[in-house]
Amino acid sequence: MSSKIVAANFKTNHTRRSTAEYVASLDRFMAENGIGTPVYIFPPATALENFETESGIRIGAQNAYPTVKGSFTGEIGLQQLGEFGIDTVLIGHSERRHILGESQEFIAKKFAWFKEQGFTIFYCIGEPLEVREAGEEAVRRYLVEQCEGIDTSYENLIMAYEPVWAIGTGKTATPELIEKTHSIVKAFSERPLLYGGSVKPSNIAEILAVPGCDGALIGTASWDISSMQSMLEIVNSE
Ligand code: PGA
């Protein structure tokens, strides 16, 4: 049985109903096939639910505001997550950094607050193309900056390296590049480190075989249940 972590980020996909169907059928599939790989699903906020699963699929929030409750229009806090027993959150995803404009300062504040609550935190870092093109030292500095104010030794932390140029583009980093970059991150964090960026059934085996890669954070290829099932079968057979 593989101990690699597999996480599915639904982003702005799936509804409340289709998420429930997805979780139920994935749960059945995992139980029937004896898949014990730790699986986390991050559905949109409208689909959060206290799912009872046989396989122990864990549900996390893609985002939340560092508050119990209050006046933060459009956001959800601890009270809303607590209703569904959610204690896992994704922080620092490149889409929140670059599209929603979250600053490192705000991200660090969010991290500290959810750490205080004992949450499992999936913390994402990754460089844009121009930084990658500027060379490895530039990448190292960029990744270190994205961890400013972050307790990278937090016991419930799972790190994810996701190069921006590989997210949703179909362009995956090579195993060599993943191994190199993971060793840069491992130098300042010993927590489990996932790779994310166009992971799919055809490349998940080689990505998870990279030394220092503890799992995958999957967007696009996780939205379709049969694609997710194929990836879990592959992970489980390794
Ligand atoms: P992708 O997204 O698999 O579609 O590249 C990964 C992510 O953003 O977590």
Side-chain angles (χ1 to χ4, degrees):
M1 191 196 293
S2 168
S3 61
K4 302 280 184 185
I5 298 164
V6 176
N9 178 6
F10 281 7
K11 309 189 179 185
T12 320
N13 299 278
H14 278 292
T15 61
R16 185 164 182 81
R17 182 179 300 178
S18 72
T19 298
E21 285 164 3
Y22 182 109
V23 172
S25 88
L26 192 65
D27 184 43
R28 241 181 349 260
F29 173 83
M30 288 175 66
E32 279 165 9
N33 292 280
I35 295 176
T37 305
V39 172
Y40 291 82
I41 296 178
F42 294 87
T46 54
L48 292 176
E49 185 55 270
N50 204 339
F51 294 111
E52 298 280 336
T53 62
E54 210 177 310
S55 58
I57 292 172
R58 281 156 263 201
I59 306 293
Q62 290 176 24
N63 177 47
Y65 200 82
T67 187
V68 174
K69 62 189 179 100
S71 300
F72 305 99
T73 301
E75 296 285 321
I76 56 172
L78 196 63
Q79 190 177 64
Q80 289 73 38
L81 297 176
E83 182 178 15
F84 304 117
I86 307 291
D87 59 3
T88 301
V89 67
L90 205 63
I91 296 179
H93 191 278
S94 73
E95 285 151 16
R96 296 214 59 90
R97 291 178 189 267
H98 303 301
I99 304 176
L100 283 307
E102 285 191 12
S103 67
Q104 185 58 31
E105 197 187 352
F106 178 61
I107 289 169
K109 182 176 153 192
K110 209 188 255 198
F111 186 101
W113 200 86
F114 281 102
K115 176 191 157 193
E116 191 68 31
Q117 314 306 317
F119 266 53
T120 295
I121 299 175
F122 280 65
Y123 187 69
C124 306
I125 55 175
E127 81 288 357
L129 189 59
E130 63 273 19
V131 175
R132 172 53 64 185
E133 284 170 346
E136 203 161 286
E137 178 51 24
V139 171
R140 194 192 63 78
R141 268 188 273 116
Y142 193 87
L143 300 179
V144 167
E145 274 167 25
Q146 288 192 314
C147 288
E148 213 174 277
I150 303 299
D151 176 3
T152 54
S153 60
Y154 172 47
E155 56 181 353
N156 297 328
L157 166 65
I158 295 169
M159 298 281 292
Y161 167 60
E162 301 201 298
V164 179
W165 46 270
I167 295 179
T169 57
K171 206 172 147 190
T172 319
T174 61
E176 294 71 30
L177 186 141
I178 297 172
E179 184 175 356
K180 251 214 129 124
T181 317
H182 274 216
S183 73
I184 292 174
V185 179
K186 294 258 175 184
F188 60 84
S189 175
E190 288 176 353
R191 300 302 306 149
L193 176 57
L194 316 184
Y195 168 78
S198 297
V199 176
K200 47 190 173 243
S202 60
N203 62 22
I204 192 164
E206 81 171 350
I207 288 171
L208 294 186
V210 169
C213 181
D214 303 309
L217 177 53
I218 310 161
T220 315
S222 73
W223 306 337
D224 172 60
I225 180 102
S226 57
S227 158
M228 182 68 168
Q229 287 171 343
S230 321
M231 291 188 284
L232 287 173
E233 259 172 350
I234 295 166
V235 174
N236 204 51
S237 67
E238 296 296 313

